[in-house]
Amino acid sequence: MFTGIIEATGTLTELTLKQGDLSVKVQSHNLDMTDVALGDSIATNGVCLTVVEKYSNGFKADVSNETLSLTRFGDYQVGQKVNLEKALQPISRLGGHLVSGHVDGVATIVAVEANARATDYWLSAPDSLIKYIPYKGSVAIDGISLTVNAVEGNKFKLTIVPHTAQETTIADFKVGTVVNLEVDQIARYLERLIQGTQTTSSESTLTTSLLAQAGFIK
């Protein structure tokens, strides 16, 4: 479990195809590895990866085909800059929101607009995911916990302050950039609870009328 508050950035220094999936090596001079053990989780651009080799300045991890199918890892190149966050400890401050590191899909930057000292980023999300993204809700973009400031159709807006841009990879985002997207977990659990045993299909049946019937909205 993570918070979406990025601890450091790193660089992918090795991407090796290995018996059908991918082995990656991440190097970072800013991430404290002293308390990381083999088997620990590190969110890498929002993807929960398990440390299989550890170094003083980085780690190696394996990326499964499931992860490759849902994230941008299949498109990354050596030299790719990534956001890093070690797994949450019970005594940690929850500065962002609860992030699982289980990416739901990808979103695309469609507009970048100046907003005083901040910058507004508009992203388009798949129809299957936009319903889980409410106004003033939380999303994780490449592992960064962010607040949704507007939703229009299948697009949503994020307002990025200078500190966040400086400490993460957001400064490199431009129109056309594709990012890993994790929606808020509560929405997914709520949908499943409402569904109950009505269906075994993975296709969503969550609708506004169903939420109203269950008493969650008026």
Side-chain angles (χ1 to χ4, degrees), residues 6-207:
I6 303 304
E7 296 181 66
T9 58
T11 303
L12 298 181
T13 57
E14 292 181 18
L15 295 165
T16 308
L17 290 174
K18 205 170 187 179
Q19 298 178 353
D21 52 33
L22 190 66
S23 171
V24 302
K25 184 176 181 180
V26 181
Q27 185 178 79
S28 175
H29 297 290
N30 300 318
L31 189 70
D32 181 9
M33 296 292 295
T34 57
D35 60 349
V36 175
L38 295 183
D40 282 356
S41 297
I42 297 179
T44 306
N45 260 12
V47 180
C48 179
L49 297 181
T50 300
V51 175
V52 297
E53 292 185 32
K54 173 190 168 182
Y55 311 95
S56 61
N57 64 346
F59 62 97
K60 273 190 176 181
D62 295 323
V63 181
S64 70
N65 281 323
E66 172 72 8
T67 301
L68 290 172
S69 70
L70 291 173
T71 71
R72 288 300 314 284
F73 262 91
D75 300 322
Y76 288 162
Q77 304 291 325
V78 170
Q80 172 80 35
K81 189 176 177 183
V82 292
N83 299 309
L84 300 172
E85 181 191 356
K86 293 183 290 188
L88 176 66
Q89 295 180 326
I91 60 171
S92 300
R93 288 189 177 93
L94 188 58
H97 71 287
L98 289 176
V99 177
S100 69
H102 304 158
V103 172
D104 293 293
V106 297
T108 304
I109 310 291
V110 295
V112 180
E113 304 166 349
N115 183 352
R117 292 188 303 119
T119 304
D120 289 337
Y121 291 85
W122 281 92
L123 297 87
S124 65
D127 292 340
S128 60
L129 296 179
I130 192 66
K131 62 193 170 188
Y132 301 114
I133 303 176
Y135 171 64
K136 292 304 178 183
S138 297
V139 292
I141 299 296
D142 275 357
I144 309 162
S145 175
L146 298 168
T147 301
V148 177
N149 286 326
V151 180
E152 296 180 3
N154 71 331
K155 299 180 179 65
F156 62 99
K157 183 177 74 171
L158 306 170
T159 300
I160 309 301
V161 297
H163 176 79
T164 303
Q166 178 181 331
E167 298 298 324
T168 69
T169 61
I170 288 182
D172 299 325
F173 289 3
K174 57 184 182 296
V175 172
T177 298
V178 181
V179 295
N180 295 321
L181 168 65
E182 180 184 332
V183 300
D184 189 67
Q185 296 179 52
I186 294 174
R188 284 203 169 279
Y189 284 121
L190 175 60
E191 178 182 48
R192 187 66 186 111
L193 285 169
I194 292 175
Q195 284 179 350
T197 58
Q198 296 174 17
T199 176
T200 57
S201 170
S202 60
E203 184 176 347
S204 171
T205 60
L206 184 63
T207 63

